[in-house]
Amino acid sequence: MTVPQAVATPERRGVWVIWLVPVVALVVTLWLWGRALADRGPVIHIVFDDAHGLKLGDPLRFRGMDAGVVEDLDLDMAEASVTVALRLRRDAADLARGGSRFWIERPILGVDGVSGLDTVIAGRHVAVLPGKGEPLARFEGLPRPPVHTPDLDNALELVLEAAQRGGLVAGAPVLYRQVPVGRVLSTALAIDGRTVEVRIAVGERYAALVRAETRFWQVGGVQLEAGLFNGLELKIDSLAALVHGGVAFATPPQFGDAVATGHRYRLYDGPKADWLTWAPSLPVGTELGAVIGEPPPQQRLALTWTGSGWW
C-alpha cells in the first residue's frame, strides 16, 4: 500500500507585484494625458511672410515663459506666405485678442543694436505683444519686432505729415533738446499718396511737452558749422539719429493747449533758427492731459542769514 505524499507547491505571493508596475505606469500616463488636455488652450493661426527657420515644437513665449507651442506650418504658394498654427496654453488664451502682435524672434540688427541673440543658441520662437480687443483666431504676423518699450505704455501717439520719408525708420528716436523722449513707430504713404505719414509715440512722462503750437522736424547726419571766431563746430543729435535719422521738436513760450492721441502736425525738413531758442516752462512727468494751459507759476526763493556774536 502506497502512502500518499504531500507535494509542496511554491508560494505565489510576489506574482501580483509584477502586474502592479504596468498598472501604475498606465495610471500615471492617463493622469499626465488628462493634465495635458486640461492645460490645452485654443489654436490660433498666424500668417507670416517668412518662417525664418521656425519649426514644429518651437514655443510661443511671453514675458520669458512658454505660453504655447507650434503645432503646424503650412506653406501657401499662391500667397507666398507661411501659416503657423499655435496651440496656446489654457492660462494664455487671452493672448488671442484683437490688437495682439506676433513676430518670430531671431537675431536682428536694429536702431538700438543687435536683438534676439539668445535665439542663436536657444532656437527660434514666436513672441507676442498682447492686445485688448475681442477674441480672434487668425492674425497677420509682423516681419520684425514692433517698436515697443515699457516707457511707451500709455504714450501720446501723433501723426506727422512729411514731403519725403528721408532716413526715418521705425525705432528712430524722437528728441526734445537732444534728449530721447519717444520713438518713431512707422512710416508709410498717406492714403492719397501725396505725403508720407510718420507715426510717433512720445512717452507719457514727456507728453505735456507737446502742445498745439509745437513744431517737428527731421534730424540726422552731421551738421558742420563754421564761424568767424569759433572755427568749425560739429553737431550730432545722437548716434541713433546719425545712423537712422530721427525727429526733433520744440514748443514756443506761447505753446497753446495740450493735444490728444491722433493729433496731426507737419514734419519740416529742418528747424527755423528761432525754434532752437524756444524755452517754455513745461512740467515733465505729468500724466497725459493733466496739464492744460499755463503751468503753475514759478516761485522765487530768498535765503537770508542773521549772524550773532561779539563782532
Side-chain angles (χ1 to χ4, degrees):
M1 179 178 179
T2 302
V3 179
Q5 300 290 326
V7 179
T9 58
E11 295 184 1
R12 302 175 62 87
R13 288 180 299 181
V15 174
W16 65 272
V17 177
I18 299 176
W19 293 103
L20 181 61
V21 174
V23 170
V24 171
L26 178 61
V27 171
V28 171
T29 301
L30 292 175
W31 178 78
L32 292 175
W33 181 68
R35 183 173 179 179
L37 287 179
D39 288 339
R40 285 162 62 94
V43 174
I44 62 174
H45 294 85
I46 310 169
V47 180
F48 291 102
D49 292 334
D50 195 307
H52 296 292
L54 197 70
K55 60 184 184 299
L56 298 182
D58 285 341
L60 165 69
R61 287 184 183 158
F62 175 61
R63 295 188 178 274
M65 293 185 60
D66 289 357
V69 64
V70 175
E71 286 194 344
D72 190 25
L73 293 165
D74 183 28
L75 178 63
D76 188 336
M77 296 297 293
E79 298 293 334
S81 63
V82 177
T83 301
V84 177
L86 270 173
R87 170 73 69 176
L88 299 179
R89 285 176 34 165
R90 184 182 60 177
D91 55 0
D94 276 348
L95 294 176
R97 289 186 173 274
S100 291
R101 289 172 281 180
F102 296 86
W103 67 96
I104 298 173
E105 196 69 62
R106 64 193 190 281
I108 293 179
L109 177 62
V111 173
D112 297 325
V114 181
S115 63
L117 284 178
D118 57 324
T119 61
V120 175
I121 299 175
R124 304 288 196 266
H125 65 268
V126 180
V128 58
L129 188 63
K132 299 180 180 179
E134 296 297 321
L136 293 177
R138 192 172 183 87
F139 299 85
E140 293 290 333
L142 302 178
R144 56 189 303 119
V147 179
H148 180 85
T149 55
D151 59 309
L152 293 184
D153 289 338
N154 303 317
L156 174 65
E157 295 190 15
L158 307 168
V159 180
L160 311 180
E161 297 179 350
Q164 303 288 336
R165 182 178 69 87
L168 291 178
V169 296
V174 175
L175 308 171
Y176 183 80
R177 297 185 178 277
Q178 297 184 328
V179 175
V181 297
R183 297 284 187 94
V184 174
L185 299 179
S186 66
T187 60
L189 282 174
I191 191 170
D192 58 4
R194 299 178 61 186
T195 59
V196 174
E197 292 187 345
V198 181
R199 289 180 56 246
I200 68 169
V202 177
E204 184 179 23
R205 173 179 173 80
Y206 304 104
L209 298 173
V210 182
R211 296 305 180 99
E213 300 302 320
T214 297
R215 297 293 182 265
F216 292 84
W217 66 90
Q218 291 196 43
V219 296
V222 177
Q223 302 175 24
L224 188 63
E225 295 183 358
L228 182 60
F229 301 103
N230 299 330
L232 295 177
E233 183 178 2
L234 184 67
K235 294 184 178 180
I236 300 175
D237 291 283
S238 71
L239 182 59
L242 173 64
V243 178
H244 300 280
V247 172
F249 69 93
T251 300
Q254 294 74 33
F255 40 75
D257 296 332
V259 299
T261 287
H263 199 81
R264 304 178 77 91
Y265 292 91
R266 177 182 173 185
L267 180 62
Y268 294 86
D269 294 333
K272 296 182 179 179
D274 60 327
W275 296 357
L276 302 178
T277 65
W278 289 345
S281 178
L282 289 168
V284 174
T286 304
E287 293 183 0
L288 176 62
V291 177
I292 298 179
E294 294 288 339
Q298 296 183 354
Q299 300 293 327
R300 183 179 296 277
L301 300 179
L303 180 65
T304 60
W305 176 78
T306 302
S308 61
W310 297 100
W311 59 88

